[in-house]
Amino acid sequence: MPALQTRKRIGVCLNEKKKRKLNFHVFEDLCRNHGYDVTEVDLTKCLNSQGPFDLIIHKLSDLLVEAGQDLTSHHLVQKLQVYLDTHPYTILLDPLPALHTLLDRFQSYHLLRSLETLNQGVSVFSPPCVELKTKRSDVVSLVRAHLTFPIICKTQVAHGPSSHEMSLIFNDQGLKEVTPPCLLQSFINHSATLYKVFVVGSQRFLVQRPSIRNFPLGETDQGTIFFNSHQVSKAESCSHLSQTPLYPEVLRPSDDVVRQVVKGLQEALGMSLFGVDLIVDTQSGRCAVIDVNAFPGYEGVPEFFPALLSHVDKILQKEPFSTSEHPPDVPQCEERAMKRRSLPEACKSRISNKSYFTMCTPALSADR
């Protein structure tokens, strides 16, 4: 007699803050009612005894950032990678090297610029930027050769509370006061309107948010403005930076532009759950990509859970049986090749195996 079909198992590896923010227990109940088993993943315990998992949904941004400096965090990430190496049918949503790319603004903006060259027929761009890794005496001449005022300054690390602390710089004096490592980028006037694209697999949702008001182009004697991006661009924000005169109505990014941006990022990163921040240049009407983030909050997207469940169904329906039914001698080379295809080109040449620790894209500087 054929074996009974085993319920497929979804592992959830999210911190309590993320789960509360999303009310993720609602999604877990949806999955159980849909015929899936749902298990909390605890990386501090043996993963083999918690699995096997058909799919793991995670946001390990905190852990990945800490892994670069903390040995315990490094070992936890390594433990997950070993489990994935020995369970090649387990699907990770999303790939660790893709998250690593988005956690480093130097790497993510290099990726955005490379995608811009691939989509020259589409009216979309990424604002020019300069990476400052250390304090430089020639910072003013370096920046002036590449950027125009005003300039927005962001931390290199794109995760955690400090990553939202930014500044607007209007002159040479402000440039001399920046603290590396940081990314400097020409500020684009966009009539205080931000468009957030929330991606869930093949579905995408466009949500409008407030943003920073327009400023005069070129150098001025305005002092540097320090701000928290969360306090400016949340739906309920009422920052003085987003309080504006009556601007002409801003045209939304076209469906074609949004589709091309999302398609390019998905092909480069192999990700399913991410957000893209778009603005429309007030002067040219072109669309600019200013940020990409992994597993965002999906605020303003009431369809998130149904969309995520639909995506999970599509992924798991491709697998003919549960991981518990997979033969133990599954070859891993095919999985390794599949992971390679999901990475940016800059990353592939450095891979000797599919471990997270050898799949991180190299640091690239815009000023060399």
Side-chain angles (χ1 to χ4, degrees):
M1 291 179 62
L4 293 175
Q5 179 73 22
T6 304
R7 284 168 63 101
K8 295 194 175 184
R9 181 176 296 173
I10 299 171
V12 175
C13 195
L14 302 173
N15 62 37
E16 287 301 320
K17 180 180 178 181
K18 183 72 174 179
K19 284 191 286 189
R20 285 196 305 270
K21 184 177 180 181
L22 290 170
N23 289 322
F24 207 73
H25 68 278
V26 175
F27 177 72
E28 293 176 355
D29 290 341
L30 272 175
C31 289
R32 293 186 181 100
N33 293 335
H34 206 65
Y36 297 120
D37 287 335
V38 181
T39 303
E40 298 292 321
V41 178
D42 186 346
L43 294 180
T44 65
K45 298 178 180 178
C46 175
L47 293 177
N48 283 322
S49 64
Q50 298 175 60
F53 301 105
D54 294 273
L55 172 73
I56 297 176
I57 300 173
H58 75 93
K59 184 169 185 180
L60 294 175
S61 302
D62 288 332
L63 198 62
L64 292 180
V65 170
E66 294 165 2
Q69 303 174 359
D70 177 69
L71 190 58
T72 300
S73 299
H74 177 89
H75 285 162
L76 292 178
V77 177
Q78 191 173 43
K79 180 192 288 189
L80 175 60
Q81 186 65 60
V82 169
Y83 179 84
L84 295 170
D85 288 347
T86 55
H87 296 78
Y89 281 92
T90 298
I91 300 165
L92 190 66
L93 206 63
D94 276 315
L96 295 182
L99 260 71
H100 184 274
T101 297
L102 298 186
L103 289 173
D104 186 330
R105 285 194 171 106
F106 291 176
Q107 294 188 33
S108 62
Y109 279 100
H110 176 77
L111 172 63
L112 290 176
R113 297 307 295 270
S114 67
L115 292 178
E116 181 183 342
T117 62
L118 293 175
N119 295 288
Q120 293 180 351
V122 179
S123 184
V124 61
F125 70 105
S126 180
C129 59
V130 166
E131 302 164 12
L132 285 185
K133 297 179 181 178
T134 58
K135 209 68 165 162
R136 298 179 57 140
S137 59
D138 62 343
V139 60
V140 172
S141 58
L142 171 67
V143 171
R144 279 184 170 275
H146 294 85
L147 309 180
T148 56
F149 291 108
I151 291 169
I152 189 165
C153 179
K154 307 175 183 180
T155 58
Q156 178 184 358
V157 177
H159 180 74
S162 62
S163 68
H164 302 295
E165 299 299 330
M166 302 182 184
S167 60
L168 274 172
I169 299 169
F170 299 88
N171 47 54
D172 292 349
Q173 183 58 40
L175 286 177
K176 295 174 183 177
E177 297 169 354
V178 300
T179 303
C182 61
L183 183 127
L184 301 172
Q185 189 175 47
S186 293
F187 176 76
I188 306 296
N189 279 332
H190 51 284
S191 299
T193 305
L194 173 70
Y195 295 97
K196 299 189 79 72
V197 182
F198 294 110
V199 179
V200 187
S202 61
Q203 299 186 61
R204 57 186 184 272
F205 307 90
L206 189 67
V207 177
Q208 184 173 325
R209 293 279 180 80
S211 187
I212 301 173
R213 67 177 185 269
N214 294 346
F215 284 93
L217 299 179
E219 186 173 9
T220 67
D221 58 2
Q222 165 76 53
T224 298
I225 297 175
F226 298 90
F227 66 97
N228 184 297
S229 60
H230 264 184
Q231 296 173 1
V232 174
S233 60
K234 287 293 184 182
E236 66 279 5
S237 296
C238 53
S239 167
H240 69 282
L241 285 176
S242 57
Q243 293 175 356
T244 66
L246 187 61
Y247 291 126
E249 185 176 355
V250 179
L251 292 177
R252 293 163 63 93
S254 70
D255 288 342
D256 185 51
V257 164
V258 174
R259 182 173 60 254
Q260 288 295 331
V261 169
V262 170
K263 180 174 180 288
L265 288 169
Q266 285 183 320
E267 290 178 351
L269 295 169
M271 294 184 69
S272 300
L273 304 175
F274 63 95
V276 187
D277 287 356
L278 303 177
I279 58 175
V280 178
D281 185 347
T282 302
Q283 193 170 31
S284 69
R286 297 176 66 206
C287 186
V289 184
I290 59 170
D291 199 13
V292 184
N293 46 82
F295 206 153
Y298 291 93
E299 295 98 335
V301 184
E303 308 95 327
F304 173 53
F305 287 157
L308 181 55
L309 182 58
S310 173
H311 183 58
V312 167
D313 282 341
K314 289 178 184 177
I315 293 174
L316 295 184
Q317 283 170 7
K318 293 178 182 178
E319 293 291 327
F321 41 79
S322 172
T323 50
S324 61
E325 300 167 339
H326 288 155
D329 57 345
V330 175
Q332 296 184 28
C333 57
E334 184 177 355
E335 175 72 2
R336 199 170 286 127
M338 183 175 71
K339 290 292 185 183
R340 283 174 61 92
R341 288 196 298 272
S342 71
L343 294 173
E345 287 296 329
C347 187
K348 294 179 183 176
S349 62
R350 293 169 56 94
I351 301 174
S352 58
N353 59 57
K354 75 184 182 73
S355 169
Y356 157 75
F357 299 99
T358 57
M359 291 168 70
C360 303
T361 53
L364 291 150
S365 178
D367 57 318
R368 70 178 186 187

